[in-house]
């Protein structure tokens, strides 16, 4: 991943900007997956964990099975 050490007035091309955003996004998602796997119970699959997290976040709306 490319890091910018100082600010400049030079324009960044859209393709370069998109590449930087994708690199950062991949790094963040990888870190999140590692943390989720580290903190979930071993007998709970990642899709099961995500479904429970969805229900927890939307509990006021009482999500249906098709929502999950």
């Amino acid at each position: 991943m490319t890091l910018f050490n100082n600010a400049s007035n030079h324009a960044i091309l859209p393709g370069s900007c998109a590449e930087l955003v994708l690199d950062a996004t991949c790094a963040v998602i990888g870190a999140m997956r590692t943390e989720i796997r580290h903190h979930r119970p071993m007998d709970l699959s990642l899709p099961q964990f995500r479904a429970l997290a969805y229900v927890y976040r939307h509990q006021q709306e009482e999500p249906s099975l098709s929502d999950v």
Side-chain angles (χ1 to χ4, degrees):
M1 182 178 348
T2 304
L3 299 176
F4 294 102
N5 293 325
N6 56 10
S8 68
N9 292 329
H10 296 79
I12 298 175
L13 297 175
S16 298
C17 184
E19 185 177 340
L20 291 171
V21 169
L22 286 174
D23 287 346
T25 302
C26 290
V28 168
I29 290 172
M32 289 173 60
R33 283 185 178 152
T34 299
E35 285 299 309
I36 289 170
R37 287 186 179 115
H38 179 71
H39 293 288
R40 70 178 164 86
M42 296 307 288
D43 59 342
L44 193 65
S45 71
L46 195 53
Q48 290 169 331
F49 180 83
R50 291 180 66 202
L52 289 174
Y54 180 88
V55 170
Y56 178 77
R57 285 191 315 270
H58 296 89
Q59 60 187 331
Q60 297 299 323
E61 304 157 18
E62 297 181 10
S64 67
L65 183 57
S66 61
D67 292 335
V68 175

